[in-house]
């Protein structure tokens, strides 16, 4: 039986060789996740040893020759001593692991100075992101994608607008819930530039499975450039098709829910689309941002993400084309 | 006798099915047909789209659709004028009296095309299906007898009983049910 | 001798054995026919019904699990749409926890506890009948709703606000909440019976230190039920009030609190795990003792571990809420308490290992299940230590790691011992043996299938796969492991199917079992298989923890009970000194009527709060009928 289960533990390891790793607790991209990975490894090793010991004792107990088993008070007493010793040992192991856990908690709690504050508000089934800044004109709103500078502490302030969600970017930190009526926060620092993925971890309804966003960690310089680009208004349409698309956007139902700064569209119910063309994905991490995927999403959101709150707005083929072209141009 | 019981039970089952179903996607031709209401001259009363009857009036009887209507009520700030339904700059909607008719077509037209003295038109801001969801909900707000499909209160400050408690009945207990 | 010729107040000492048995049979039997079946209060008949019903729910929940595995086998699969998937996983969880795991343990207890403590029926037999009907009605409600596309879709934990009035449209969440009421009423009824049966109806001489370990475990479990279940009933009732009447228990805007729900739910939900697991501890102890041919090592330590687990179980509910941002000091406390529960679990494991070490193991199917239990449960317990750590839990909470963890605990820790217990006690219940050859296949298939299915889920969780997702994207790279898991699940399902096949087949072609096919030490093996309606011809007198092993000649018995009416011995709590002869209630149809009336009221109250008012009338009528003094002997005792 022990052999089978060891086999069971090997096979999946082979099968998992292809895992992406951009949403994995075992490939930390920052200090906090690194601590957590060490903690996971420590617990796994200790627990693995305990399991092996128990299995060895079990196997030995079953395979020993029972014909000559000494019975009587002496054997019982010796067993009692052994059971007592094993219990004492497990108390020590438990105390050790508890202390390790406290130490890790303490390490994680130490927040760095001058953090970048990002407000994340979870809604069914997307993320609204606000970059805070001491000067109000540099505070801006975006959605479903976070850029962070490498090396600077990040403080994510979490709120929910409808039901409970949970912010989990396993490569960067543990998860923290977004709870209506409560304010939570999560701090982490990213060491490795790269692309990480964050996903809602608390069941939040029909599209819980498709409530993710990308976290782009980049050097401070390119982060600042990105931020300046986000603060600026999007470029004006530079051809007739995009201009027509803009007209569709502001004239049809789109503008009732979405904002594009610099246009009359100022809806706040759906994600801010000011720089949607610059984001890597649309629909909360579901599709790569291309003109085609934008058109597909607008044409039939309920097939791509059944139950989400985007209505199917009737558009002609020309309108759809123009709209997709316009949105893709919002870099 | 037994057959009739079975039939009744089957009907109850089917009704329950329809009330709880969640049709998340409406085919574009159906969505288009849903907007084909025949309005009486004057914009009050009329014939609902044939497809609405064929579907079994989902926007009045289906819990999910009614709930979606309630969400739209909040999202599109209907409370800005109608308050929590008790009326402010806009007329009250929970008292069981209707300025432009209590039927779905009248409410649909009120929202789609607007009404004099301030009710804006939502044509082009909401799809026809969304307007139907909202209409069904508004009708439930002013109902004298609550339907079991009607939504309950929101997680906000509450100024009145929720739709499944039939606030109109509380306002006009003696009024004959329509 | 005809019944009429018997004088009143006839005692068993007055009759010869060949006359005594038919007379006892006549007093205790369940009449034939539908009315007889519906009004029986025989704990064995009710326990058997409970068992069969619970296992039917297990099979149905298993089908749901296979549907989920079908959907998750490939990325972006579209077999189950999200709406249906949400219902399926909610049904799976609610069904397995409320309709299978808890009731099946209580079923075993309802059947066996009176036999193991040497009495003739449970205390409050009519309450027992009532509890079964309530349980059946609750299960029927839930599954009917599911069939009507009205199944709950908010998770078995039904967190507000998602299940609250604003976001849970329709009656789906109400169905869930009311199903809770049904199952909790029935669970608490059984718990009360078990507590009183164990404390007051033990055979003379069965002092506290001679109670079989399974009975001890059920006693602790029953106390847990009595203390934990009110929390969930308060929670589910508040939820229904919020949804139907418009109260604000969970509405932060009006002074309610969203987290209040989680506290109430997990104050029940965590002890629930031990409510399922502690009976399994009793089963493992019993099976190990019988199949090593020696008393379980460390009786006192095991009993203390049971009680310690029961107490600690109430001090660690917050470890389900480590991601909600509670104060750090509180979290540290709950880390320590969650870790510390590993210690009594460790004591249990060590005592069993010592028993195996000192005894002479006989490898029959029940013991093989216990060995499978060891291999899997220890993994589940150790991953439990991992999730007890706050920082570690923030990485694995709500991921497939936790799915793997609690299936290791619940299937490895509770279902394996349960199936072992079924193989062990089946001959007593049915009178026939289950197949040893098929049994070995069942153990093998289940142990291998289970580990192959659930072990990879640990890895999936660490690689970022969150729970309760109806699908996942191709680029996440979880496809291979998920396909592997789904294929392994087929193996696991085959194991369960074979078990069901064996259980059904053995009921008519199984080898006839004698009174005591395994040579077990406890009192249930001293009577026939299946036991007669009166359980024991005479109430036995117990002089040791293993009466059938230590009193090798014949059991001493107590005599002097009346034969012409149902009578049993009431004994003192600690020493089990006989105190009185007590009448045991006769069959009655009123528990069924009371359950029907309660069902009508509870279901209607989903739709209108006034149902509580008018629905109370039939319940009152049924209860009056139930307790109406009929001048029958049992009312005069």
């Amino acid at each position: 039986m022990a052999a089978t289960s060891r086999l069971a533990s090997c096979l999946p390891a082979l099968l998992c060789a292809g895992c992406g790793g951009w949403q994995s607790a075992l490939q930390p991209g920052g200090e906090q996740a690194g601590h957590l990975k060490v903690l996971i490894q420590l617990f796994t090793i200790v627990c693995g040893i305990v399991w092996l010991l128990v299995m060895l004792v079990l196997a030995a107990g079953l395979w020993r020759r029972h014909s000559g088993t000494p019975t009587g008070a002496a054997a019982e007493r010796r067993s009692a001593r052994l059971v007592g010793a094993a219990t004492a040992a497990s108390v020590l192991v438990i105390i050790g692991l508890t202390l390790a856990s406290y130490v890790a908690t303490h390490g994680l709690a130490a927040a760095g100075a001058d953090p970048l504050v990002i407000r994340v508000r979870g809604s069914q089934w997307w993320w609204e992101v606000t970059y805070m800044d001491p000067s109000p004109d540099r505070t801006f709103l975006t959605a479903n994608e976070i850029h962070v500078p490498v090396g600077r502490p990040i403080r994510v302030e979490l709120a929910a607008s409808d039901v409970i969600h949970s912010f989990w970017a396993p490569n960067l930190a543990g998860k923290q819930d977004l709870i209506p009526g409560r304010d939570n926060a999560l701090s982490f620092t990213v060491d490795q530039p790269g692309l990480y993925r964050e996903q809602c971890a608390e069941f939040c309804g029909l599209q819980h499975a498709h409530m993710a966003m990308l976290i782009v960690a980049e050097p401070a310089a390119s982060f600042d450039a990105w931020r300046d680009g986000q603060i600026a208004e999007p470029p004006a349409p530079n051809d007739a098709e995009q201009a027509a698309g803009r007209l569709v956007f502001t004239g049809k139902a789109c503008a009732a829910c979405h904002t594009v700064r610099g246009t009359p569209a100022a809806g706040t119910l759906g994600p801010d689309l000011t720089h949607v063309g610059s984001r890597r994905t649309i629909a909360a991490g579901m599709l790569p941002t291309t003109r085609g995927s934008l058109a597909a999403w607008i044409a039939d959101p309920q097939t791509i993400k059944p139950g989400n709150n985007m209505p199917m707005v009737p558009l002609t083929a020309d309108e759809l084309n123009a709209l997709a072209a316009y949105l893709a141009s919002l870099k | 006798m037994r057959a009739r019981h079975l039939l009744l039970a089957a009907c109850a089952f089917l009704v329950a099915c329809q009330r709880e179903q969640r049709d998340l996607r409406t085919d574009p031709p159906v969505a288009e047909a849903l907007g084909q209401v025949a309005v009486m001259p004057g914009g009050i009363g009329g014939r609902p789209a044939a497809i609405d009857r064929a579907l079994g009036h989902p926007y009045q009887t289906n819990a999910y659709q009614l709930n979606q209507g309630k969400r739209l009520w909040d999202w599109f700030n209907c409370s800005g004028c109608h308050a929590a339904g008790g009326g402010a700059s806009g007329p009250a909607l929970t008292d069981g009296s209707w300025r432009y008719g209590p039927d779905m077509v009248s409410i649909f037209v009120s929202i789609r095309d607007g009404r004099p003295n301030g009710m804006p038109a939502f044509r082009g801001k909401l799809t026809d299906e969304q307007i139907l969801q909202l209409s069904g909900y508004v009708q439930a707000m002013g109902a004298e007898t609550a339907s079991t499909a009607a939504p309950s209160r929101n997680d906000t400050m509450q100024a009145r009983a929720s739709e499944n408690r039939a606030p109109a009945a509380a306002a006009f207990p003696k009024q004959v049910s329509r | 001798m005809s019944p009429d010729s018997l004088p009143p107040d006839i005692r068993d000492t007055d009759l010869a054995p060949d006359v005594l048995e038919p007379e006892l049979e006549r007093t205790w039997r369940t009449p034939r026919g539908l009315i007889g079946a519906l009004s029986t209060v025989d704990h064995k008949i009710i326990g058997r019904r409970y068992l069969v019903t619970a296992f039917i729910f297990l099979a149905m929940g298993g089908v749901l699990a296979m549907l989920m595995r079908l959907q998750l086998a490939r990325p972006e699969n579209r077999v189950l749409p999200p709406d249906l998937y949400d219902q399926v996983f909610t049904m799976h969880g609610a069904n397995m926890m409320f309709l299978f795991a808890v009731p099946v343990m209580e079923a075993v207890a309802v059947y066996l506890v009176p036999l193991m403590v040497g009495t003739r029926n449970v205390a409050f037999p009519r309450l027992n009948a009532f509890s079964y009907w309530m349980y059946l009605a609750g299960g029927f409600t839930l599954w009917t709703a599911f069939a009507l596309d009205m199944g709950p879709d908010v998770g078995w934990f039904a967190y507000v606000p998602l299940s609250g009035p604003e976001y849970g449209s329709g009656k789906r969440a109400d169905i869930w909440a009311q199903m809770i009421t049904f199952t909790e009423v029935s669970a608490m009824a059984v718990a009360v019976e078990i507590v009183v049966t164990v404390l007051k109806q033990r055979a003379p001489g069965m002092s506290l230190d001679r109670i079989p370990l399974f009975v001890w475990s059920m006693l602790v479990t029953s106390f847990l039920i009595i203390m934990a279940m009110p929390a969930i009933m308060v929670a589910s009732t508040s939820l229904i009030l919020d949804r139907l009447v418009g109260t604000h228990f969970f509405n932060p805007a009006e002074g309610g609190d969203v987290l209040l729900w989680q506290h109430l739910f997990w104050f029940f939900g965590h002890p629930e795990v031990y409510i399922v697991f502690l009976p399994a501890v009793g089963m493992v102890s019993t099976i190990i003792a019988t199949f090593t041919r020696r008393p379980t090592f460390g009786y006192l330590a095991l009993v203390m571990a049971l009680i310690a687990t029961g107490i600690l179980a109430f001090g660690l509910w917050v470890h389900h809420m480590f991601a909600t941002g509670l104060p750090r000091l509180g979290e540290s406390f709950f880390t320590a308490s969650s870790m510390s529960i590993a210690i009594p679990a460790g004591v249990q494991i060590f005592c069993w290992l010592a028993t195996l070490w000192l005894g002479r193991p006989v490898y029959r199917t029940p013991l093989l299940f216990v060995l499978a239990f060891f291999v899997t449960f220890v993994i589940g317990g150790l991953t439990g230590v991992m999730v007890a750590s706050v920082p570690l839990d923030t990485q694995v909470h709500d991921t497939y790691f936790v799915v793997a963890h609690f299936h290791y605990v619940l299937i490895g820790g509770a279902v394996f011992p349960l199936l072992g217990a079924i193989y062990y006690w089946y001959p007593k219940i049915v009178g026939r043996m289950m197949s040893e050859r098929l049994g070995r296949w069942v153990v093998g298939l289940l142990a291998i299938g289970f580990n192959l299915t659930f072990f990879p889920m640990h890895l999936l969780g660490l690689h970022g796969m969150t729970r309760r997702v109806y699908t996942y994207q191709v680029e996440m790279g979880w496809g291979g492991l998920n396909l592997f898991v789904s294929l392994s699940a087929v193996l696991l399902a085959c194991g369960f199917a074979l078990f069901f096949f064996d259980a059904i087949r053995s009921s008519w072609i199984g080898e006839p079992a004698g009174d005591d096919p395994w040579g077990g030490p406890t009192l249930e093996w001293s009577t026939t298989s299946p036991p007669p309606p009166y359980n024991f011809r005479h109430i036995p007198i117990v002089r040791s923890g293993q009466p059938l092993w230590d009193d090798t000649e014949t059991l001493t018995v107590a005599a002097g009970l009346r034969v012409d009416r149902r009578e049993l011995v009431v004994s003192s709590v600690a020493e089990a000194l006989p105190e009185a002869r007590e009448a045991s209630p006769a069959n009655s149809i009123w528990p069924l009527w009371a359950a029907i009336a309660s069902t009508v009221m509870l279901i209607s109250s989903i739709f209108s709060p006034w149902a509580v008012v008018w629905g109370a009338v039939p319940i009152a009528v049924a209860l009056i009928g139930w307790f109406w003094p009929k001048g029958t002997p049992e009312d005069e005792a």
Side-chain angles (χ1 to χ4, degrees), chain C residues 117-118 196-211 539-543 558 561 568-582:
Chain C
V117 302
V196 178
T197 308
V198 174
L199 292 185
K200 291 304 291 177
Q201 285 185 207
R202 300 200 305 278
M206 187 184 274
S207 51
L208 288 181
D209 57 345
R210 291 174 190 163
I211 301 181
I539 304 293
I541 289 179
V542 176
R543 290 174 178 166
L561 288 180
L568 35 79
V569 175
V570 169
S571 52
S572 64
V573 171
E575 299 292 324
L577 302 171
E579 286 179 330
R581 294 182 292 124
E582 170 79 17

Side-chain angles (χ1 to χ4, degrees), chain A residues 23 25 36 47 51 61 64 66 76 101-102 162 168 170 175-177 184 197 201-202 207-208 285-286 303, chain C residues 78 167 294 323-325 332 357 359-360 375 379 382 389 391 394-395 397-398 462-464 467-468 470 473:
Chain A
Q23 182 174 310
L36 290 171
C47 291
W51 184 78
R64 72 198 276 265
H66 283 277
E76 297 274 330
S101 165
Y102 288 168
D162 38 41
W168 187 40
K175 62 181 70 62
Q176 187 74 259
D177 287 354
N184 278 339
R197 192 169 182 274
E202 185 59 79
Q207 280 302 326
H208 168 57
M286 236 197 125
T303 295
Chain C
R78 291 192 172 235
Y167 297 97
R294 57 153 286 145
T324 57
S332 303
W357 191 278
R360 301 194 166 110
V375 176
I379 294 179
L382 290 169
S389 156
T394 60
Q395 281 289 30
H397 177 71
D398 273 336
L462 289 173
H463 282 107
R467 281 173 82 176
R468 300 155 189 150
Y470 78 99
Q473 285 155 260

Side-chain angles (χ1 to χ4, degrees), chain C residues 289-341:
Chain C
T290 300
F291 292 95
T292 54
R293 303 280 179 256
R294 57 153 286 145
T296 316
F297 179 87
Y299 177 91
L300 183 65
L302 277 170
V303 171
M304 287 301 146
L306 281 171
I307 296 173
T309 310
I311 293 169
L312 280 173
F314 286 96
L316 30 84
W317 78 92
V318 169
H319 77 213
H320 297 266
M321 299 165 62
F322 280 163
T324 57
L326 293 174
R328 197 154 282 135
L329 182 68
E331 289 186 343
S332 303
F333 170 80
F334 283 99
T335 290
S337 63
S338 308
M339 293 264 189
S340 63
I341 204 153

Side-chain angles (χ1 to χ4, degrees), chain A residues 2-15:
Chain A
T4 3
S5 117
R6 215 160 307 135
L7 184 70
S9 54
C10 292
L11 265 177
L14 294 174
L15 285 164

Side-chain angles (χ1 to χ4, degrees), chain B residues 151-171:
Chain B
S152 186
R153 66 157 178 79
N154 278 356
D155 282 335
T156 49
M157 297 287 275
Q158 296 297 306
R160 62 171 169 85
S162 55
E163 295 69 41
N164 61 354
R165 311 287 333 119

Side-chain angles (χ1 to χ4, degrees), chain C residues 255-286:
Chain C
D257 193 346
V258 172
L259 280 189
L260 172 65
W261 171 267
Q262 298 189 18
H263 282 293
L264 284 172
F265 184 82
W266 290 116
F267 187 80
F268 144 82
H270 199 83
E272 167 93 343
V273 176
Y274 295 96
I275 288 169
V276 175
F277 172 65
L278 288 185
V281 170
M283 292 164 177
V284 170
S285 305
T286 311

